[in-house]
Amino acid sequence: MKIIKTISELRTCIQQERSFSKSIGFVPTMGFLHEGHQSLLQHARENNDVVVLSIFVNPLQFGVNEDLDRYPRDFERDEQIATKNGVDILFYPAVAEMYPKEMPMTITVTKGVDVLCGQSRPGHFDGVATVVMKLFQLVQPTNAYFGQKDAQQLAIIMNMVESFNIPVTVIPCPTIREVDGLAKSSRNVYLTERERIEAPFLYKTLQEARALIQAGETNRTKVVDMMKRRLAQGLGQIDYVEVLSYPDLEIDDTLKGQIIIALAYRYEHARLIDNDIIHIKEEE
Amino acid sequence: MKIIKTISELRTCIQQERSFSKSIGFVPTMGFLHEGHQSLLQHARENNDVVVLSIFVNPLQFGVNEDLDRYPRDFERDEQIATKNGVDILFYPAVAEMYPKEMPMTITVTKGVDVLCGQSRPGHFDGVATVVMKLFQLVQPTNAYFGQKDAQQLAIIMNMVESFNIPVTVIPCPTIREVDGLAKSSRNVYLTERERIEAPFLYKTLQEARALIQAGETNRTKVVDMMKRRLAQGLGQIDYVEVLSYPDLEIDDTLKGQIIIALAYRYEHARLIDNDIIHIKEEE
C-alpha cells in the first residue's frame, strides 16, 4: 500500500493507473475507520483494479460550534485497517495541501439541505460537496462508495454527480448493523447500559414504518405519527422523524416512488441516526 | 466533424478518445463565432489530437434583465467555421439536455466578482463557473482555451481549476485586434462612424498605462487617474477603469507581481471592454 500525502504525487500515480485503463474504486473518509468503512472498502476491492482510500478531516464541513480539533483520529490503526482491506493507495493530505488558501468559490447546495441533519448543521453539506468535488477531480474514480447510513450526504453526492455530470458512478452501500439491528456507529459506545438495550427499537420503528407502507399506507402524516408515538416511549428525545422522496429529499404528502424514512434520536451522551429507503411499487 | 447533441453520445465518444490516450483540446463558446473564437480553435488544433468545440447559450449566466432570447445565434455559419478550423467534435446541446431540472446546487464565486464586469452582473460568474464545471466533466479535456479579452472570466476559470483540482490545463489566448488596435468584438458593428474612428484610443490608453508602469510607476491611483483623464476626452462614458492583481482580482495600492489594467467604456449603442495583463519585475 502506497501512502500519499501530496497532490502532485497522487496525480502522477493516478495518471499512471489511468493510462493502463484500470478501474479505480474510491472510498473518501475522515478516518477513524469502523466496520462501516471496512464494508465500503470491501465493496471497492471486489469491483475495481485499484482501491483508493482518502483520510481527510475536512474543516469546511464543521460549523463554528462544532469541535473540529476534537474529532477522533488514529492514523496508525487506520493504516492497519486499510492494509488488511486491500487498499492500494491511501491518500492522507494535510489541510494546507487541500486548502493552500481560502477557497475563492465553493459549492452551494440549495436543495435537500433544510431537512434531516441539514436543519441543525447550516453550511455542512456545502463543505461536504466542495471537498468531495475536489477529491473526485484528484482521484478520478470509476466508482465511489458511500454508506446509506449517512443518507442525506449520499443523496447530495448523487445529486452533485448528476448535476455536474461528473464521470463517476456512485455506489450506495447498505448500513452495517449489530445482531440486534442497531446501526453500527462510533457513537454507540457513549450509550448507557439501559440505552444500549433499548436502542435497537430505532431500527424496529423503521421496520414497522416500512411494513405499514408496504401494507398500502400512502399518507405521510400517518406514518410519521406512528413513528413518533413509538419513539416517544423511549428513554431519549426525538430530534426528527421524516419521510421524504429520495434522493430529492422533498416532502410529498402522498408517498410514492423511492422514499426515505429517517430518524435522529438523542440519548444522554449520543445522538443516533438511522434510516430505511423503500421503493413503493405503483398500483397496476 | 461529428455534431453531437446528447450527453450520452458525447460520453461514448470521449471515452473512446481517452482510451487511446489522445489529448483533447476544448473551446467552450456560446456560438456566433468570430475571429477571437477562431484563434482559440487554432491554438487547440495545433496542440491536441482531438479538438472539441461546444456551442451552448447558457441561461444560468444571464441576469433577469439580460435578454437571453435575443442573444445572437447562427448555427449554420458556426458549423462552417468549426469545419474550416479543424474541429473534430461539435457539442451542441439543448437547454433541456444540460439542465433537465433545476440545479440542486451551483458554484458560488465569492472572490473576484465585486470588481470589473462582475459589479453590474450579479450572479453572472456563478452561472459561468457552473456551466464550465459541467462542460469540463463532460469533455474531460487535456487543455481548455479561453480568450484574455474576457479577463475576469478567464481569471475565475483559472481559480476554479486550481480550487477544485480539476485535471485540465487552462490556456489563456491573446486578444485579437483590428489593425488599428481595437479589440475585435461582435459589438464593434454597433459603433457610429465617429465612434469607430475614436475607439482605438481605448487600447492606446492601456498601452500608455503599461508604459507608465514599465517606467517605474507603482502607485495604483496615479495609473487609474491618468487613464480616467485620457478616457474623459472621448465621445462615450467610462463604465470602469481598474488596476488589480491577476488572477486574484484584488485591489493593491502598490502595484507588484502580475496585474491587469482593465476598462469598460460605453458608446451610444455598444459597451466595449479591453484589458492588458502585465508582469511587474521585482527590483533586484
Side-chain angles (χ1 to χ4, degrees), chain A residues 125-142:
Chain A
F125 289 109
D126 295 349
V128 171
T130 299
V131 79
V132 173
M133 178 64 98
K134 283 170 70 80
L135 290 167
F136 279 174
Q137 302 304 307
L138 286 166
V139 176
Q140 298 175 63
T142 319

Side-chain angles (χ1 to χ4, degrees), chain A residues 25-27 41 44-45 48-53 86-90:
Chain A
F26 178 44
V27 180
L41 290 172
R45 185 67 280 167
N48 298 274
D49 300 322
V50 179
V51 174
V52 180
L53 164 70
V87 170
D88 299 300
I89 299 171
L90 168 49

Side-chain angles (χ1 to χ4, degrees), chain A residues 7 11 18 101 103-108 110-111 133-134 137-138 156 160 162-167, chain B residues 7 11 18 101 104-108 110-111 133-134 137-138 156 160 162-167:
Chain A
I7 285 173
R11 281 216 194 282
R18 285 191 69 111
K101 56 185 182 184
M103 291 283 284
M105 61 194 74
T106 55
I107 294 177
T108 308
T110 49
K111 222 178 124 181
M133 178 64 98
K134 283 170 70 80
Q137 302 304 307
L138 286 166
I156 287 168
M160 180 172 84
E162 190 189 16
S163 304
F164 287 106
N165 311 104
I166 307 172
Chain B
I7 285 172
R11 280 216 194 280
R18 284 192 70 111
K101 57 183 181 184
M105 62 194 76
T106 55
I107 293 176
T108 308
T110 49
K111 220 179 126 182
M133 178 65 97
K134 281 171 70 80
Q137 301 305 308
L138 286 166
I156 287 167
M160 180 172 84
E162 191 190 14
S163 303
F164 286 107
N165 312 100
I166 308 172

Side-chain angles (χ1 to χ4, degrees), chain A residues 2 21 25 29 40 49 59 67 93 103 105-106 125 134 138 158 168 173 184 200 254 262 264 268 275 278:
Chain A
K2 244 186 231 174
S21 294
T29 76
L40 301 179
D49 300 322
D67 204 340
M103 291 283 284
M105 61 194 74
T106 55
F125 289 109
K134 283 170 70 80
L138 286 166
M158 288 197 291
V168 58
C173 298
K184 293 223 182 196
T254 309
E268 201 174 343
N275 69 79
I278 303 175

Side-chain angles (χ1 to χ4, degrees), chain A residues 15-221:
Chain A
Q15 211 157 357
Q16 200 179 339
E17 302 295 0
R18 285 191 69 111
S19 70
F20 298 126
S21 294
K22 288 191 182 167
S23 63
I24 298 174
F26 178 44
V27 180
T29 76
M30 301 217 294
F32 214 71
L33 305 176
H34 54 60
E35 282 134 314
H37 299 113
Q38 292 193 56
S39 148
L40 301 179
L41 290 172
Q42 284 152 18
H43 280 97
R45 185 67 280 167
E46 278 162 29
N47 298 291
N48 298 274
D49 300 322
V50 179
V51 174
V52 180
L53 164 70
S54 70
I55 296 182
F56 179 63
V57 181
N58 173 37
L60 246 62
Q61 70 192 67
F62 285 79
V64 279
N65 296 321
E66 294 173 7
D67 204 340
L68 169 64
D69 298 331
R70 276 202 307 208
Y71 194 85
R73 294 158 214 242
D74 188 344
F75 184 70
E76 271 180 43
R77 199 175 145 269
D78 288 348
E79 193 185 327
Q80 285 166 15
I81 292 173
T83 308
K84 208 184 68 188
N85 285 278
V87 170
D88 299 300
I89 299 171
L90 168 49
F91 181 50
Y92 180 53
V95 171
E97 186 73 12
M98 288 296 280
Y99 303 114
K101 56 185 182 184
E102 204 189 324
M103 291 283 284
M105 61 194 74
T106 55
I107 294 177
T108 308
V109 187
T110 49
K111 222 178 124 181
V113 283
D114 52 351
V115 292
L116 307 176
C117 299
Q119 296 170 94
S120 52
R121 304 188 74 180
H124 170 68
F125 289 109
D126 295 349
V128 171
T130 299
V131 79
V132 173
M133 178 64 98
K134 283 170 70 80
L135 290 167
F136 279 174
Q137 302 304 307
L138 286 166
V139 176
Q140 298 175 63
T142 319
N143 302 299
Y145 298 80
F146 292 86
Q148 190 196 302
K149 172 101 192 301
D150 295 317
Q152 189 170 16
Q153 169 176 283
L154 171 62
I156 287 168
I157 299 301
M158 288 197 291
N159 291 339
M160 180 172 84
V161 165
E162 190 189 16
S163 304
F164 287 106
N165 311 104
I166 307 172
V168 58
T169 304
V170 173
I171 314 279
C173 298
T175 303
I176 304 300
R177 300 182 179 282
E178 304 289 349
V179 285
D180 58 11
L182 178 64
K184 293 223 182 196
S185 163
S186 28
R187 293 195 184 84
N188 292 349
V189 296
Y190 299 125
L191 299 176
T192 64
E193 205 175 325
R194 282 182 62 211
E195 287 173 346
R196 177 61 191 83
I197 291 165
E198 181 190 89
F201 94 126
L202 300 176
Y203 182 51
K204 288 202 189 84
T205 305
L206 291 172
Q207 287 178 305
E208 283 169 27
R210 173 187 274 266
L212 193 62
I213 293 164
Q214 283 176 340
E217 184 59 76
T218 58
N219 184 315
R220 184 183 157 278
T221 314

Side-chain angles (χ1 to χ4, degrees), chain B residues 5-16:
Chain B
K5 295 188 176 188
T6 66
I7 285 172
S8 67
E9 206 189 329
L10 181 67
R11 280 216 194 280
T12 309
C13 204
I14 294 292
Q15 212 156 358
Q16 202 178 338

